[in-house]
Amino acid sequence: MVRRFAGLLSLFSFGLGMLFVLSTGGTRSVMGQPKPLVVPPAPQAPTLTTPVTFGMKQGASIELVLSGTNLSDPVAVMLSCPGKATIVPDAKEAKPDPAKVKVKFELPADVAVGLHTMRVVTKQGVSNFRPLIVDDLPGIEEVATNRTKDMAQDVLMPCSISARTDAEASDFFKVKVTAGLKLTFEVVARRIGSPLDPIIILHDGRTKRELIDQYADDTPGLQSDCRLTHTFKEAGEVLVEVRDTTYRGGVDFFYRLRIGEFPAAITAYPLAMQRGKDAKVGFAGPGADDIPAVAVKAAADPAIGAVHVTPKRSTGGSGWPLPVLLTEEPQSVEQEPNNTPDKANKLPVPGGISGRFLEKGDIDHFAIAGKKGQKLVITAQTYEVNSPCEVLVRVLDAKGAELSRSNPAAATRLEFTPPADGDFTIACEQLNYLFGPNEVYHLAVNPSAPDFEVSLVLDRCEAQAGGGTSVAIANVARLNGYAGPVELSIAGDPALSGTITLPTGQTQTFMPLLVKAGTKPGAYRFVVKASAKVDGKDVVRYANLTDYVKTSLGGMPNPPPDLLHDCAVAVIEKPAFTVKFTPEPASIEKGKAGKLNVDATREKEADADITLVPLFVPPNITPAVKPIPKGMTKAEVGITVAPPTAVGKAPIVIRATSKVGGKDYIVTPPPTILDVIEPKKLEPKKEEPKKDKK
């Protein structure tokens, strides 16, 4: 209800804003945002369309056929988890099928349960990622005839069933149970990128009647997936029905049905750890009290946003893995009793704490020290860590008077500026007065400080050894008053490099990715590191792919944090053609024109016209682009630099497209850097001295 209200409020506010703009009659100017950068993958690069039903058991070996496009000449498969992936030639095929590739996967016994990723690498590029699901439950494939109760598929539990559902249909599975057996039935769909919004219904195997109250839909904390735990009083058979809530279905509506005696934890607890520290991490949710805590070593690498812990008992298999956030600030766990301000837990600033509303009327209090005029940012995180909890945050003074509170219709983020030096109390309570083992949250308090965030457009590219390409920076958002430059650099494999500085006021760019000469063909991981000097301190952030990953995983609301920064470049042996741009003159004056000399190299099969398309041009610079005619290797791009152009280094990215073997082929070189300078001042002509007449 709260989120629905928030959506309606946002829509109403948008309408008012538009009415205001229209009513001004054009008397006010509106500052437009830069157009979003749209950079599709190169058409010669491979693409995976493989459904996410693919998965395997820990310590197992399996051959899978991956489907997609441009899969000819595969050279490797990248895995995000420990293991080995080997391309298996198909002896039956006289000519390889570019839409399929067979791969043998071999995983160690200790590989983590959960969602991992795979990419196919060919001689032309690296594919998008697709999930590879790892489980410790025995795997079963769904049969196509299980669409009625009478034709329910017999399965032995424990198991993990790879399945998909059709439109206007349900899937049925039959399980034998014993008296006193406590089983958990779980559908993993949205959490692995499926559009399926699943429900589970249990039916008596003998009468075919629905078991009263044995129904699960949108289980709290599961991102609209469902989970049901039930203890059977009598031995017999039970039918498990799985379908979409609105009877949607199709080839993309895949899921995994897990059945067993595994733990049904909702979240980890504590919900966050300080980087580089050791901690014991337990679990929260129904029946989580008897799940052993896990010893965790938090990675010190600031590019890693979270670790995953897996709930597991001595028998019964593993539950689904759960994220633990990694932060720079010290972390602690709420200690009861703290229901009144005089018993408030001490919370350092900056710092974070994990809490829960376990009993009815539970109000948690935390004591902080504030300095006059220093703005504090107070954040309560729940949905980000799979908790269904909704939190109301209030700030109290020493006498208990309320000074500020969070807005229930917006995100739980509260800015508070202490009116004087002293101690203050943060009071947290469940917004809807709920309580129980699911109601956990993470509270963080940090001084407001200038900052920035960086986002990327695409997670993959290709380049020749000894050459390079360009990486698109979708947006650099400067926050809390920071307006300075941001330095962007390629971090990861030592064979890769590249750096560029985004000047003040600019929010988008392309940066170079260079590959060391002699680098072997294959795929290499990298991240984009962003650095700046803020108030005399070095601040480092890592560019994120949040929007891209959400889209790749079917609109998953909260994708795994470990997927949000990872990029890959395919180092290829020799492209079909290359282009190089050289500015002339080396420095171009504002208000004048110059040119880019274009040099193309062509392989024998790349003799067609080469079309040049500007991807990124700084403001006030205009290129005059013409194609490189068929068979030619030289061309020019006219450049006009308008007087308002900013002085300094100005990157230009021009993509080259041509037909190779009847197919489109694209090359994106590193940015060409123009050196824009002030106009040179002309010295006035000196008049020659007049000669005296004699």
Side-chain angles (χ1 to χ4, degrees):
M1 180 64 72
V2 171
R3 294 194 174 276
R4 183 180 300 172
F5 172 73
L8 291 174
L9 183 62
S10 299
L11 184 61
F12 178 67
S13 300
F14 174 78
L16 284 180
M18 290 301 296
L19 180 62
F20 172 77
V21 170
L22 293 173
S23 68
T24 58
T27 59
R28 293 176 182 266
S29 62
V30 178
M31 182 67 71
Q33 294 294 323
K35 292 182 179 179
L37 289 178
V38 179
V39 185
Q44 72 271 16
T47 298
L48 282 180
T49 56
T50 298
V52 200
T53 50
F54 282 160
M56 57 187 300
K57 195 173 183 295
Q58 291 172 317
S61 173
I62 189 173
E63 287 190 1
L64 300 174
V65 177
L66 310 182
S67 60
T69 60
N70 294 336
L71 297 177
S72 300
D73 300 319
V75 296
V77 174
M78 293 180 72
L79 295 177
S80 65
C81 61
K84 182 180 179 182
T86 307
I87 305 293
V88 180
D90 194 338
K92 299 179 182 179
E93 293 285 344
K95 186 178 180 181
D97 186 346
K100 295 180 181 178
V101 59
K102 184 184 289 186
V103 181
K104 181 180 181 180
F105 293 92
E106 300 171 87
L107 299 184
D110 60 351
V111 65
V113 169
L115 185 154
H116 302 280
T117 63
M118 57 182 174
R119 300 176 187 262
V120 172
V121 187
T122 70
K123 291 183 178 180
Q124 301 297 336
V126 59
S127 77
N128 55 315
F129 77 83
R130 295 306 294 155
L132 176 68
I133 311 305
V134 176
D135 213 323
D136 61 355
L137 303 179
I140 296 176
E141 293 292 327
E142 179 193 29
V143 299
T145 56
N146 66 340
R147 298 300 188 260
T148 65
K149 295 177 183 178
D150 292 331
M151 296 294 290
Q153 179 179 352
D154 285 294
V155 296
L156 295 176
M157 66 89 189
C159 61
S160 177
I161 306 167
S162 175
R164 73 168 182 85
T165 190
D166 291 324
E168 303 299 328
S170 293
D171 301 334
F172 292 92
F173 306 90
K174 185 188 297 183
V175 182
K176 289 184 178 181
V177 298
T178 57
L181 178 65
K182 184 179 181 180
L183 276 186
T184 294
F185 305 85
E186 174 178 32
V187 174
V188 185
R190 298 293 291 122
R191 288 171 290 167
I192 55 174
S194 171
L196 178 70
D197 185 3
I199 63 172
I200 295 174
I201 306 171
L202 299 187
H203 305 264
D204 184 278
R206 182 176 57 85
T207 65
K208 307 295 193 298
R209 292 179 180 176
E210 182 178 336
L211 297 177
I212 298 176
D213 297 331
Q214 299 312 304
Y215 168 95
D217 179 20
D218 292 344
T219 302
L222 303 190
Q223 301 200 55
S224 80
D225 281 346
C226 54
R227 180 188 289 157
L228 173 64
T229 300
H230 180 61
T231 301
F232 294 91
K233 296 180 180 180
E234 299 177 354
E237 292 181 333
V238 63
L239 301 181
V240 185
E241 178 185 0
V242 178
R243 64 170 175 83
D244 183 80
T245 54
T246 56
Y247 286 97
R248 297 175 304 154
V251 293
D252 293 331
F253 285 73
F254 45 78
Y255 64 92
R256 298 189 77 84
L257 172 61
R258 307 179 80 237
I259 304 174
E261 298 176 86
F262 51 83
I266 295 292
T267 70
Y269 194 80
L271 296 162
M273 295 176 59
Q274 188 174 7
R275 296 189 189 279
K277 300 290 186 180
D278 297 335
K280 282 273 192 179
V281 177
F283 301 93
D289 291 342
D290 64 344
I291 305 174
V294 178
V296 179
K297 171 73 173 179
D301 185 351
I304 300 176
V307 295
H308 282 80
V309 294
T310 303
K312 187 174 183 179
R313 301 188 184 94
S314 57
T315 59
S318 300
W320 199 249
L322 302 166
V324 180
L325 301 177
L326 300 184
T327 73
E328 307 298 335
E329 300 79 28
Q331 297 293 319
S332 58
V333 176
E334 173 207 6
Q335 300 297 316
E336 294 281 5
N338 65 342
N339 280 20
T340 56
D342 60 304
K343 295 182 178 178
N345 292 176
K346 296 288 186 182
L347 179 58
V349 178
I353 193 165
S354 297
R356 71 171 101 195
F357 305 117
L358 196 55
E359 298 178 352
K360 185 177 181 179
D362 192 2
I363 301 178
D364 298 332
H365 293 83
F366 306 99
I368 61 170
K371 296 180 180 179
K372 182 179 180 179
Q374 183 188 49
K375 183 188 293 184
L376 300 177
V377 178
I378 303 169
T379 307
Q381 292 176 296
T382 55
Y383 291 97
E384 299 87 344
V385 286
N386 298 333
S387 170
C389 185
E390 294 188 81
V391 184
L392 175 67
V393 178
R394 298 181 296 127
V395 181
L396 313 176
D397 65 13
K399 296 181 179 180
E402 182 178 303
L403 301 177
S404 185
R405 67 163 53 200
S406 60
N407 179 3
T412 311
R413 183 181 185 276
L414 173 65
E415 292 186 352
F416 168 68
T417 302
D421 291 355
D423 294 331
F424 300 86
T425 300
I426 299 174
C428 298
E429 56 188 296
Q430 222 291 348
L431 183 63
N432 300 309
Y433 307 105
L434 301 177
F435 61 95
N438 295 344
E439 304 301 322
V440 298
Y441 63 95
H442 178 258
L443 181 72
V445 182
N446 290 281
S448 177
D451 204 346
F452 54 91
E453 293 177 350
V454 180
S455 57
L456 298 174
V457 177
L458 193 62
D459 69 335
R460 55 185 171 127
C461 54
E462 53 284 321
Q464 184 181 11
T469 186
S470 296
V471 176
I473 307 300
N475 186 47
V476 175
R478 294 171 173 85
L479 310 172
N480 301 330
Y482 179 67
V486 176
E487 183 180 278
L488 304 167
S489 59
I490 299 295
D493 195 281
L496 310 178
S497 63
T499 185
I500 196 169
T501 298
L502 197 69
T504 298
Q506 190 172 328
T507 61
Q508 296 177 341
T509 191
F510 279 74
M511 65 176 299
L513 185 153
L514 308 177
V515 182
K516 186 185 296 184
T519 301
K520 293 182 179 180
Y524 297 79
R525 287 189 171 87
F526 71 92
V527 295
V528 174
K529 180 181 178 181
S531 309
K533 184 76 75 172
V534 180
D535 290 343
K537 297 180 180 179
D538 292 325
V539 177
V540 175
R541 300 288 180 257
Y542 288 86
N544 72 79
L545 290 149
T546 303
D547 291 340
Y548 177 85
V549 173
K550 285 183 177 181
T551 301
S552 300
L553 293 176
M556 185 188 296
N558 297 300
D562 49 309
L563 299 183
L564 300 184
H565 307 285
D566 203 24
C567 300
V569 58
V571 176
I572 58 179
E573 289 182 347
K574 198 173 186 180
F577 65 90
T578 62
V579 290
K580 181 181 179 181
F581 301 91
T582 305
E584 185 183 334
S587 298
I588 301 181
E589 298 177 38
K590 294 166 58 173
K592 293 192 175 182
K595 65 180 179 179
L596 301 179
N597 292 319
V598 187
D599 293 287
T601 62
R602 298 173 181 264
E603 294 300 305
K604 186 177 180 179
E605 67 274 18
D607 194 45
D609 289 351
I610 298 176
T611 302
L612 303 179
V613 179
L615 282 186
F616 181 79
V617 181
N620 305 310
I621 296 178
T622 305
V625 179
K626 296 180 180 179
I628 305 173
K630 179 179 180 179
M632 302 296 290
T633 60
K634 301 288 185 181
E636 293 181 357
V637 174
I639 295 292
T640 302
V641 180
T645 305
V647 171
K649 306 296 183 182
I652 293 180
V653 178
I654 298 178
R655 204 173 215 190
T657 304
S658 187
K659 292 284 187 182
V660 179
K663 297 181 179 180
D664 289 332
Y665 195 104
I666 283 181
V667 169
T668 305
T672 301
I673 306 299
L674 295 183
D675 183 21
V676 180
I677 61 175
E678 293 285 359
K680 295 177 181 178
K681 294 182 179 180
L682 297 177
E683 295 288 337
K685 291 184 178 180
K686 295 182 180 180
E687 296 184 5
E688 295 183 4
K690 295 180 180 180
K691 296 181 180 179
D692 294 334
K693 293 181 180 180
K694 294 184 178 179

